[in-house]
Amino acid sequence: MGTFAGHIAPGSFFMLAAIWWTINIFKNFLKAKTKNGKPYRTQPWYPGPFCRDFPFESVMKLVTVTIGMAGELTTAFEHGVFEHLVNAQHMTMYFFFGLNGAMDLLRHYNFHLPNGIEAATGILAYGIEGFIFYNHLHGRSHMDIQVHMYLFYTIVMCVFSIFLEIWHQDWVLASLSRAYFTLMQGTWFCQVGFILYPPFAGMQQWDQTNHEQMMIITMIYTWHCAVDLVLMLLIGAAVWVWMKSCRLLDQVNYQQLSSEAVLVVPTSKSANNGINGHLNRHMQLPESDSDEV
């Protein structure tokens, strides 16, 4: 990760994962709000968009981890010698996220594993990532330490959010907190790449010992907090608009109501009262006190 690409790659992986989670969390939450929807429950991972039986997210975790580890391995050698030991630390981080993806996959195919193993390995993956980041900043510039400590704080919140999901599996904000802090980690990863390794010619280098510029970086981090929150809200609004336009939020209620109401023709006052009571129960309206229709 000691390059611009080395920060953009994991940052992109985290951002894609967070956006994917956000879409599915809002979709499940809105479905739970329909009349016949099941109560909302958090999920450690989500199936594919086109094939519900395919563990899309689990496979993508393994693919991205393989890409990340391969990149770290190929850049670790110089003249046939493994020179950059920090790459071994980065590969270790990737490995634990790959372990989490493997547990997701095994649970999907009904291997006899303990319930909650996906959440446990997720906590382990984020925890190992934070532990390694916290302990490989020795001898770096003040600004380098600053930006990576902000990353460490975000990783700690990722761990906390998964614990929150375990304790409150029916609380949508617990699920969204995992997505939010993972998105924060992704966008900040990319920002660190631009700060420490400006990719374009003519970009001004940051003075890594300048206190005023370090204050600006603190402000930029808070901007990430705000922008990522707005982005998640926009994703939620887009999911709502899409589900509303596809009538996924109300079609079950109206179809059930029409199928029961249209096919019955009242033949007497008593039959009519019975129909009114049946419809009132489904519409959750109080029955009329009048015998007249």
Side-chain angles (χ1 to χ4, degrees):
M1 297 180 189
T3 63
F4 176 75
H7 285 80
I8 293 297
S12 300
F13 296 155
F14 282 122
M15 284 191 292
L16 290 174
I19 291 171
W20 170 251
W21 290 340
T22 304
I23 292 171
N24 284 279
I25 290 168
F26 275 114
K27 185 171 67 174
N28 289 353
F29 175 70
L30 291 172
K31 283 183 179 179
K33 289 299 182 180
T34 60
K35 183 177 180 181
N36 297 320
K38 297 179 181 179
Y40 176 81
R41 298 287 290 180
T42 185
Q43 293 180 224
W45 59 275
Y46 298 91
F50 304 111
C51 180
R52 302 291 298 178
D53 294 329
F54 179 69
F56 171 78
E57 181 179 331
S58 307
V59 172
M60 290 308 299
K61 283 180 183 178
L62 294 175
V63 170
T64 54
V65 162
T66 302
I67 294 172
M69 291 185 71
E72 294 291 341
L73 182 62
T74 55
T75 57
F77 287 90
E78 285 189 9
H79 309 294
V81 180
F82 199 104
E83 291 285 351
H84 303 286
L85 293 179
V86 70
N87 287 40
Q89 289 188 331
H90 300 159
M91 292 170 64
T92 302
M93 298 179 199
Y94 278 117
F95 168 78
F96 280 95
F97 282 102
L99 180 64
N100 174 244
M103 293 301 104
D104 292 349
L105 202 61
L106 293 176
R107 284 281 292 173
H108 173 78
Y109 288 110
N110 298 318
F111 279 72
H112 296 292
L113 295 171
N115 291 332
I117 190 68
E118 307 99 316
T121 53
I123 291 171
L124 181 63
Y126 282 120
I128 292 295
E129 181 194 13
F131 176 75
I132 290 178
F133 266 124
Y134 185 81
N135 287 283
H136 85 166
L137 299 177
H138 305 294
R140 301 198 178 196
S141 68
H142 292 301
M143 184 176 291
D144 196 335
I145 294 174
Q146 178 190 23
V147 296
H148 282 92
M149 284 304 297
Y150 290 167
L151 186 60
F152 170 76
Y153 301 148
T154 309
I155 295 169
V156 170
M157 293 307 299
C158 288
V159 174
F160 175 77
S161 65
I162 300 179
F163 275 116
L164 198 63
E165 278 191 290
I166 295 173
W167 294 328
H168 303 283
Q169 297 187 18
D170 57 350
W171 191 26
V172 68
L173 289 182
S175 302
L176 288 172
S177 68
R178 169 168 57 105
Y180 174 73
F181 289 112
T182 301
L183 181 62
M184 273 288 299
Q185 188 179 165
T187 59
W188 189 247
F189 246 122
C190 295
Q191 183 68 66
V192 171
F194 277 96
I195 292 173
L196 299 181
Y197 309 98
F200 306 116
M203 288 187 67
Q204 185 176 0
Q205 295 281 340
W206 289 76
D207 184 350
Q208 299 194 17
T209 60
N210 186 287
H211 177 69
E212 291 186 353
Q213 293 194 17
M214 293 173 68
M215 291 176 62
I216 293 174
I217 286 178
T218 300
M219 184 173 58
I220 292 175
Y221 182 81
T222 63
W223 292 349
H224 277 260
C225 296
V227 170
D228 290 342
L229 177 60
V230 171
L231 176 59
M232 287 184 62
L233 293 175
L234 291 175
I235 292 173
V239 171
W240 182 85
V241 170
W242 172 72
M243 295 182 71
K244 195 72 174 176
S245 64
C246 295
R247 298 185 63 81
L248 297 176
L249 297 180
D250 54 5
Q251 63 178 357
V252 174
N253 298 339
Y254 287 112
Q255 285 178 356
Q256 182 179 2
L257 182 61
S258 61
S259 65
E260 294 180 357
V262 173
L263 298 179
V264 181
V265 179
T267 56
S268 67
K269 181 182 292 185
S270 61
N272 206 16
N273 289 338
I275 294 169
N276 284 342
H278 185 63
L279 290 178
N280 285 334
R281 283 194 299 273
H282 279 273
M283 297 173 67
Q284 298 181 347
L285 294 174
E287 294 191 26
S288 173
D289 292 336
S290 174
D291 290 333
E292 298 181 1
V293 179

